[in-house]
Amino acid sequence: MLEAIGYWFNDRAPSPCPRPQRLVGAWDEGERAKVVAYLRAGDVLETYRGSSYCRFACGKPSAEMGHRDLTDGRFAWPEGLPHYVEAHAVRLPEHFVAHALANAPRIAPSGRRIDDEPWFAWGKAAGATIELEGWDSLGWADQRKVLAQLHAQLAADHPLFEKQVEILVGRRATDELICVLPDGRLALVRLTGAATTLFDGWDDWRPA
Ligand SMILES: [Zn+2]
């Protein structure tokens, strides 16, 4: 199996993937340039229809962030990963960096299966993941039902009143929802009574 690296948390689809914003760190410039070149030289593993985007919203056009997965036969990464290392000094797992710097001869991938677990575990150990244990995504029909129930309770001065909010995940045990507002802010809402806490975004996310 190929080991995944460089797959990032999506603000609108929470996952165990790390946030690159929390991985910006010090790199030896020479090593960083070598790792960027190594990442750019990967072989194409998979091609997708849609392009990626920079999680730092730095203005790099989406079309230049890639739409493919690359591999060296041992690791797999998205085509846009070298941009994060080059432009934002995002750190990568030490064992991958050592592997890239050793410049070992390529091997042909033995299959297309990708193992995410070491990547998730590394991101968590680095403090770069969002803890969402117990939260689950809702199906489309449940979302509509819950949104109707929520909107029926909102007073005109409520921050979610008449806003096109989208439910990201829900927690049945505590009857809570995490919603995203059109401006990107997050709302932690209790479904009964609609008590709400607002956060500027996931980097500000510190639930009580
Ligand atoms: Zn960028």
Side-chain angles (χ1 to χ4, degrees), residues 90-151:
V90 169
R91 291 184 296 114
L92 294 176
E94 298 69 19
H95 67 287
F96 167 74
V97 172
H99 175 77
L101 293 176
N103 223 347
R106 297 288 167 90
I107 51 169
S110 54
R112 289 176 169 218
R113 285 182 55 211
I114 296 178
D115 183 8
D116 287 332
E117 290 305 325
W119 174 241
F120 296 162
W122 180 78
K124 188 172 180 175
T129 55
I130 303 284
E131 186 50 63
L132 288 170
E133 182 122 16
W135 293 87
D136 296 306
S137 53
L138 274 65
W140 184 76
D142 279 342
Q143 292 237 3
R144 287 189 26 135
K145 215 186 298 174
V146 168
L147 276 173
Q149 192 185 335
L150 179 65
H151 279 293

Side-chain angles (χ1 to χ4, degrees), residues 54-60 65 83-84 87-88:
C54 179
R55 303 306 201 255
F56 290 87
C58 68
K60 177 106 170 158
M65 286 303 291
H83 169 74
Y84 289 92
H88 303 295

